[in-house]
Amino acid sequence: MSGIGLIDGLRQTGSLAWRAIVQLKRNPWELGDYSFQPVLFLLLFVYIFGGAIAGSTDAYLTFMLPGIVVMNMMFVTVYVGHGLNTDLTSGYFDRLRALPVARWAPLAGRITADLVKQGWSIVLLLGLGWLMGFRMDNPIWGLAGMVVLVLIFALAFSWVSVLVGVVARDPEHVQLFGFTALFPITFVSNVFVPVETVPEWLQGVVMANPVSVLTDACRGLLLGGPWLGSALITLLWAAAITAVFAPLSVWALKRRLR
Amino acid sequence: MVESAIAATELVKHFGATRAVDGVSLSVAQGQVLGLLGPNGAGKTTTVRMLATLTAPDSGTARVGGFDIVDQAHQVRGLIGLTGQFASVDNRLTGFENLLLIARLLGQPRKKSRHIARTLLERFELADAADRPVQGYSGGMRRRLDLAASLVGNPRILFLDEPTTGLDPRARRQLWELIGERVAEGTTVLLTTQYLEEADALADDIMVIDHGRVIASGTPEALKRQIGTRTLEIRPASPDALAATAAIMTELAGIAPEQQGGRLSIPAGDPALLPALVRRLDQHGIAPAELQLRSASLDEVFLALTGQASTANDETLEDKR
Ligand SMILES: Nc1ncnc2c1ncn2[C@@H]1O[C@H](COP(=O)(O)OP(=O)(O)OP(=O)(O)O)[C@@H](O)[C@H]1O
Ligand SMILES: [Mg+2]
């Protein structure tokens, strides 16, 4: 089966990513999910709990901002599976597959669009954080490093979302499952509180959670603490998640399309 | 001899114990329209999906536009247009954006893509709704956009899976016209439908399938002759005229009509029967309250072809093992 050249495939990926971005115009709810929701979280946590948790809102903002970026990244990935499932259940996926389009382009398009959305919400959160008084201690390479690390992890974690999107019966189930699973995963971490403050029996889980590891790396990169170790572990996690979930997703997709 | 545009040999597709398609062979010459007729679960969609390279057959082979549907799927995709059973357009894009995206995916430059999209929207009477999200389209508009989307690449071969199901008669006719225009331009079409009338209006040849097997095929005329499709029904305004009407019908058609309630019906293969009957009734001063020439429903076709009502076909064929 003489397929499609890489250049053509990438161009098609670009067109399909454009589609996923344009869709946002007609679905303000999705945009709200990764615009207003994290903003609301940031404002509520900093101004309501900040004093109680960290002694002052400023100190808590410094502590929490890198974590909320990580947490929001996890939630944004749900829309990769959501969009994919919508296409599968509506038959739109068939329309794409009946065109002379690279087999990987529809998925690559979704994931590319996801990275754009990720970029948008990182900028939004850091911008708001800056307005609220957040200042980084490291030079700009720290910020760049953090963004790259978060995007790499997002790319890997998207495969989990793809699998859910392929297996789920309808888009609502993707969302339900995504959010139900992500709340414990992101809360049992050091995003909102320092690890020392949780019960000892839970500390092991919190520290092993890749969300905590990534958050540690982000804090180090922005605020000037140690980061290299946690960044490397994050990359290992990303590689492991991809190695497990990418083949699994492709297998499940082939099965569903039988 | 020119190779058939679509040629399938003994296609088989099983889903677990369900024999969705159980040895279907078909052939469509270039520029011809084949209507695939069958009840729910007959295997129409599965056949189309195999021919459109969406799913591989378990056994059997097929060539579309001269290319093998498995080994040369990519080339096949470059030739075909597919309108699936359920309108598959993106609800969150506008009509224009939907067509634009497909033109871009097919490798057209930006400006040309816009031109193609606008031209098609114009031709499908969607120009006014072009920049509205498809979410707000009516069923008929959505179907038209769906058909337009499958024409963006100007395909030589078109697969239409129940293109008018769920549409009102006006929208159905409008879609038929649009399909007819393509056929006039030389496009080969494989069309599935549950409506005999639709196959009759569009198809050069009809193939009836059930339980994944071909149970009849031929031109619409041949099938109709075989089945005796049309029925003449009449209800005299006054019940007293029933006997006289029945006598006239017997005399004209050569067989006695069936009576049900105040209604008389008779098979009407001969097109001259209706005007003759009207003339005779008029001579006798009998006024009909209702008079109609009715085409056979798919049910009746199935009754005639298989001796069983098509409603019994909903269950899947049980595996013999
Ligand atoms: N993906 C699938 N998995 C399992 N069974 C399937 C699948 N697709 C089709 N079938 C079964 O195969 C048979 C044929 O289905 P198909 O959709 O081809 O029929 P159809 O003629 O298009 O019917 P309809 O008029 O309802 O669209 C049915 O019994 C159906 O349940
Ligand atoms: Mg079908």
Side-chain angles (χ1 to χ4, degrees), chain B residues 40-41 43-46 85-86 161-162 192 194:
Chain B
N40 288 133
K44 304 183 296 294
T45 297
T46 308
Q85 183 166 357
F86 304 101
D161 194 359
E162 300 195 25
T192 83
Q194 302 199 30

Side-chain angles (χ1 to χ4, degrees), chain A residues 256 258, chain B residues 13-16 18-21 38-47 49 85-86 161-162 192 194 209 314-317:
Chain A
R256 175 157 186 168
R258 203 193 101 86
Chain B
K13 182 84 184 179
H14 291 201
F15 293 106
T18 309
R19 298 162 169 195
V21 175
N40 288 133
K44 304 183 296 294
T45 297
T46 308
T47 305
R49 284 175 52 85
Q85 183 166 357
F86 304 101
D161 194 359
E162 300 195 25
T192 83
Q194 302 199 30
I209 66 170
D314 274 347
E315 303 145 31
T316 50
L317 199 64

Side-chain angles (χ1 to χ4, degrees), chain A residues 30-174:
Chain A
E30 180 184 338
L31 198 60
D33 265 340
Y34 38 79
S35 302
F36 308 124
Q37 189 180 295
V39 165
L40 212 64
F41 259 75
L42 192 61
L43 293 174
L44 281 176
F45 270 80
V46 167
Y47 291 121
I48 305 293
F49 300 122
I53 298 175
S56 80
T57 53
D58 277 352
Y60 191 58
L61 176 66
T62 306
F63 176 80
M64 195 188 86
L65 188 64
I68 201 104
V69 168
V70 170
M71 173 173 165
N72 193 51
M73 173 272 291
M74 304 281 284
F75 280 92
V76 173
T77 58
V78 171
Y79 284 99
V80 176
H82 184 263
L84 180 62
N85 188 275
T86 308
D87 285 352
L88 282 170
T89 46
S90 71
Y92 196 80
F93 209 75
D94 273 355
R95 155 144 278 148
L96 294 180
R97 290 199 313 132
L99 293 173
V101 164
R103 301 295 91 179
W104 46 269
L107 211 53
R110 283 263 163 232
I111 293 182
T112 308
D114 178 62
L115 291 183
V116 174
K117 297 172 189 175
Q118 295 284 5
W120 153 253
S121 34
I122 293 176
V123 169
L124 183 75
L125 283 174
L126 291 181
L128 181 69
W130 189 82
L131 286 179
M132 290 165 71
F134 180 87
R135 294 293 176 269
M136 34 185 298
D137 298 322
N138 267 354
I140 196 76
W141 61 260
L143 177 66
M146 171 192 143
V147 171
V148 169
L149 198 62
V150 168
L151 290 185
I152 288 177
F153 192 83
L155 207 54
F157 199 72
S158 296
W159 284 110
V160 180
S161 179
V162 169
L163 182 63
V164 175
V166 171
V167 175
R169 199 153 20 103
D170 55 50
E172 285 67 41
H173 278 86
V174 177

Side-chain angles (χ1 to χ4, degrees), chain A residues 4 6 15 18 22 64 85 93 102 104 129 134 144 146-147 165 169 185 191 203 206 211 215 225 244 251:
Chain A
I4 304 245
L6 183 65
S15 298
W18 166 82
V22 174
M64 195 188 86
N85 188 275
F93 209 75
W104 46 269
F134 180 87
M146 171 192 143
V147 171
R169 199 153 20 103
I185 293 176
V191 166
Q203 286 188 7
V206 171
V211 174
T215 302
V244 172
W251 173 78

Side-chain angles (χ1 to χ4, degrees), chain B residues 7-291:
Chain B
T9 316
E10 289 293 313
L11 287 178
V12 173
K13 182 84 184 179
H14 291 201
F15 293 106
T18 309
R19 298 162 169 195
V21 175
D22 200 10
V24 166
S25 301
L26 56 85
S27 151
V28 191
Q30 301 225 352
Q32 294 285 103
V33 181
L34 174 68
L36 211 54
L37 200 63
N40 288 133
K44 304 183 296 294
T45 297
T46 308
T47 305
V48 166
R49 284 175 52 85
M50 284 191 280
L51 293 173
T53 78
L54 293 176
T55 183
D58 291 336
S59 70
T61 57
R63 297 179 83 76
V64 171
F67 296 108
D68 187 273
I69 54 164
V70 177
D71 297 330
Q72 296 169 305
H74 175 63
Q75 284 89 331
V76 172
R77 289 179 196 126
L79 294 177
I80 62 169
L82 168 68
T83 299
Q85 183 166 357
F86 304 101
S88 48
V89 284
D90 190 330
N91 281 332
R92 295 205 214 142
L93 299 184
T94 63
F96 175 71
E97 288 163 347
N98 262 288
L99 299 187
L100 184 70
L101 172 66
I102 291 177
R104 296 289 290 149
L105 286 173
L106 290 172
Q108 299 290 354
R110 202 156 291 166
K111 216 171 144 197
K112 177 100 184 287
S113 298
R114 285 206 199 96
H115 177 72
I116 293 174
R118 290 282 175 211
T119 311
L120 275 170
L121 288 165
E122 198 78 46
R123 183 167 168 185
F124 280 66
E125 291 176 35
L126 289 167
D128 292 340
D131 298 313
R132 293 211 317 257
V134 173
Q135 247 154 10
Y137 280 25
S138 72
M141 291 163 76
R142 197 181 300 256
R143 263 301 179 189
R144 291 210 300 280
L145 183 65
D146 199 23
L147 183 59
S150 61
L151 296 179
V152 169
N154 206 15
R156 273 175 34 207
I157 299 168
L158 201 52
F159 293 102
L160 305 173
D161 194 359
E162 300 195 25
T164 67
T165 300
L167 297 188
D168 66 36
R170 206 188 67 86
R172 171 166 301 152
R173 255 161 226 295
Q174 192 178 16
L175 215 68
W176 287 356
E177 265 169 43
L178 290 165
I179 295 167
E181 283 170 23
R182 290 301 299 194
V183 173
E185 288 165 19
T187 309
T188 307
V189 177
L190 192 152
L191 161 100
T192 83
T193 180
Q194 302 199 30
Y195 307 111
L196 190 63
E197 191 196 358
E198 181 159 296
D200 199 11
L202 293 171
D204 300 302
D205 280 302
I206 292 180
M207 198 170 229
V208 184
I209 66 170
D210 192 18
H211 294 317
R213 292 207 189 87
V214 179
I215 56 172
S217 64
T219 62
E221 287 69 32
L223 279 178
K224 266 188 265 175
R225 237 177 292 123
Q226 186 184 335
I227 304 159
T229 49
R230 286 192 299 182
T231 306
L232 186 60
E233 257 184 17
I234 184 165
R235 186 165 67 81
S238 146
D240 302 337
L242 265 175
T245 310
I248 294 172
M249 288 171 88
T250 311
E251 185 200 324
L252 288 173
I255 46 169
E258 258 177 59
Q259 184 175 343
Q260 219 175 21
R263 222 178 269 274
L264 296 161
S265 65
I266 198 163
D270 182 1
L273 187 63
L274 178 64
L277 180 65
V278 172
R279 229 173 297 123
R280 289 295 292 277
L281 290 175
D282 194 37
Q283 284 167 9
H284 286 78
I286 301 173
E290 268 177 46
L291 176 66

